[in-house]
Amino acid sequence: MLGASMTTTTRRPTAWSARLSLAPLGLALLLAGPARARDAQLEGPLPAPARLRVGDFVVDWTPRGGGALSVRHTAALDREAWGSRPGRGFVAARRSDLELPGQRGFFRVEERVRERLDRQTVDRVRAEGAGVVVEGRLLAPGAPTSVGVAGVLAGRAGAPGGADPANAPGYRLLLEAVAPSALRVTLSLASGAGATAVELVGASDPDERFLGFGMQFTHLDLKGRRVPILVQEQGIGRGLQPVTALLHLAGGAGGDWSTTYAPVPHYLTTRLRSLCLEDSAPSFFDLTDPGAARVEVLAPRLRARIFHGASPLALIEAYTAYAGRMRPLPDWAHAGLIVGATGGTDRTRALADALDRHGVPVTAFFLQDWVGERDTPFGTRLWWDWQPDAGTYADWPGFVRELRGRGHRVLGYVNPFLVEGRPGAPRDLWGEARRGGHLVPGADGRPVRIGQGGFDAGLVDLTAPGARDWLKALLRDELLGSGMSGWMGDFGEALPFDARPAGGSARALHNRWPELWQSLQAEVVAEAGLADEVLYFSRSGYTTSPGRTRLFWLGDQLCSWDRHDGLASALTGLLSSGISGFSLNHGDAGGYTNLRLGPFVFFRRTKELLLRWLEFAAFTPVLRTHEGLVPGARGGHGLDTDADTLDQVARITRIFRALQPYRRALMAEAAARGWPLVRHPWLHHPEQVELLRERGTFLLGPDLLVAPVIAPCRREVEVRLPPGRWVHVWTDQVVGDPGRTTVARLPAPLGRPAALHREGSAAGEAFVRALAAEGLRAPR
């Protein structure tokens, strides 16, 4: 679960700026120069006004105010779904020297811009078939504008001014309806333009908030930032100091606010605008200009979708009709806790006995060490060789049957890497894969070896049919064949950009690699006839991942409380990813990364952190623990460290079980409409933008408001309540105002997390009755 390196997303010096990167520390100094030419006005004679119908959308062009393009939906003609800034260019390109170096799952963009093409003309706006086409030219700074569009599109030199067509390539912007609530925008340049990146620039308001972008852990609102869309490791610390700086120095694994396993080129704004890219090339969403939303794709073509919706939830529904929706989880996942354990047969039996004695409802054991463990400088790691380790579990299939007989499913662990040299392995999987040509090669034709902090691993080529069939058979025989009910399908973010996969260029495939990995797992399960029975879960992802995996998890948070990489960041990750279609998501309760860095920096799970994280997780789709990077007592407090912890875990798991009917209904809704189970309150109250200032409260569906304790030593929480009357599930106290947002201070003793239901909600009343039936409170 751990990768290591560093990333700094930078631009090399250009004519408009210079940036000095202090690589190991991830610091940057920006030396601002003159105003950027990318803010250029539209140039040349502008065509006459036009209003053209495209499906259920209307495209307006006006030359007034210097020229502007606008897209509206016929159901909301008073509101732009997308529009350009009056008088400003809305299409640009650049010619660059581009490199994407990286190691161990971390990457950075190094771009030296040789020439910007951001002086735009608009020569024609016309209907073409069922769509609309906008055509014009892009010029470099200082180039004359007198190149005829016909000459450029034909690849000939225009006349007056002697401009070279190579410096004034034609562009074509095609708008076409692809669904009642979706308009596709395709930006392409004339052949021979030589562009390495293209840009689509829309208008924004200074106070407009931008949400989504996949699994973002530090910031929910990304306005004012340049957001990279590049699948990679999230890092350890991600800005929390001094751990981030120390991890950069120790191998470059610190990360920053922008690094994430599952970025998505998609946003939804408080002005009810929403856009996503269909492209897989690395991209940026530059929101640093208060008046603009700039989409940059590091490729010579851009394809996007603009969505219409009357509300935030309607926009999510429109978006997920394209990106895919997640199916309800197997019934058994609702029944109790999924227990992360390591240590072998005897240790797991002892833990199961302790949990049974204390009445903890356990539905499954997640035994990631079924393949055996190895010690590395980064802690205890697994042998990435996907067959049972007899030294850890002497009779693995028999032990799976034993636990199933006790009412406990078994989940394992797998990823798309392979290592060689595992002692005593029944099969030489590395040798099989190498002889079969199943490993991704580099430029030299040999398998790419990716460092993992103490060992190297090769990647199975998910684009090669033979390699896919080989890996599918391995998962079918070793995981499903041994009786497992699912697994953690880890990684997916490490394809190097200099690799040579069979299916095409690594630059085009890198962001899609998680989707390919998830599709392979889905095929294994479906072909076995177990699509409704097996649960596999993913941490990396991209646009269409929700339609390919069963469940997401948030990856490797620190065993800490902080907002950069701890418990607070897990809540931000759930809220942001839900907006981008990750409707079923959860995390490692208690965190994963427990480590010591010298004598003064020590992350070790405490009892309070474990229990508060479990309380939070009880209101998410799945309740699951993990022993962490350093398992056992060395890593901190565990489920069975003391009797009181076991009793508290039993209570929290019964809260999770009491929500079972409500969760089932919400999962059916997610499958039908793409709505997330864990939601920011703003999604139901878009007129209350001030709710976005709230970082510690979420809705489970429409009717249950939860304010988990995400800071240490707290016994009460301050809650910003959306408009309405809310009933505390433990005390029956009624708070809130139907007409406005209010703030309330509520008790939150350990074991009674602050949760409220909407007054009169049938689901809320049913939850309270279920809590009473579980013996957790008195009947009303």
Side-chain angles (χ1 to χ4, degrees), residues 604-657:
R604 193 167 182 265
R605 187 183 298 122
T606 66
K607 180 177 180 178
E608 183 187 17
L609 179 66
L610 172 63
L611 294 177
R612 289 302 194 184
W613 210 314
L614 280 163
E615 287 181 346
F616 158 57
F619 295 90
T620 69
V622 165
L623 183 63
R624 180 181 59 81
T625 65
H626 197 298
E627 289 224 321
L629 177 62
V630 181
R634 291 184 300 149
H637 204 86
L639 293 180
D640 59 343
T641 297
D642 59 46
D644 180 66
T645 300
L646 284 162
D647 290 340
Q648 292 283 3
V649 171
R651 177 182 177 86
I652 294 166
T653 306
R654 290 199 294 271
I655 295 173
F656 174 78
R657 191 167 63 179

Side-chain angles (χ1 to χ4, degrees), residues 173-243:
L173 191 69
L174 172 64
L175 300 96
E176 52 188 341
V178 290
S181 295
L183 184 79
R184 174 183 286 155
V185 179
T186 304
L187 171 60
S188 55
L189 303 186
S191 61
T196 55
V198 292
E199 304 174 8
L200 180 68
V201 188
S204 179
D205 299 327
D207 59 348
E208 188 171 17
R209 312 290 185 86
F210 281 72
L211 315 172
F213 298 106
M215 216 177 291
Q216 297 291 328
F217 294 100
T218 304
H219 304 288
L220 187 66
D221 172 21
L222 278 300
K223 180 74 169 183
R225 300 180 182 276
R226 187 168 183 252
V227 184
I229 304 298
L230 184 61
V231 171
Q232 60 182 310
E233 286 271 0
Q234 76 158 13
I236 300 173
R238 305 185 67 256
L240 177 67
Q241 300 299 352
V243 61

Side-chain angles (χ1 to χ4, degrees), residues 374-417:
R374 61 195 300 178
D375 291 327
T376 77
F378 283 90
T380 302
R381 307 288 298 281
L382 304 176
W383 275 103
W384 295 355
D385 180 89
W386 312 118
Q387 44 193 333
D389 178 61
T392 307
Y393 299 94
D395 177 10
W396 172 249
F399 189 53
V400 171
R401 290 192 297 272
E402 175 187 325
L403 289 174
R404 187 68 177 268
R406 297 181 63 166
H408 308 320
R409 305 266 179 160
V410 173
L411 308 181
Y413 173 95
V414 69
N415 67 48
F417 287 106

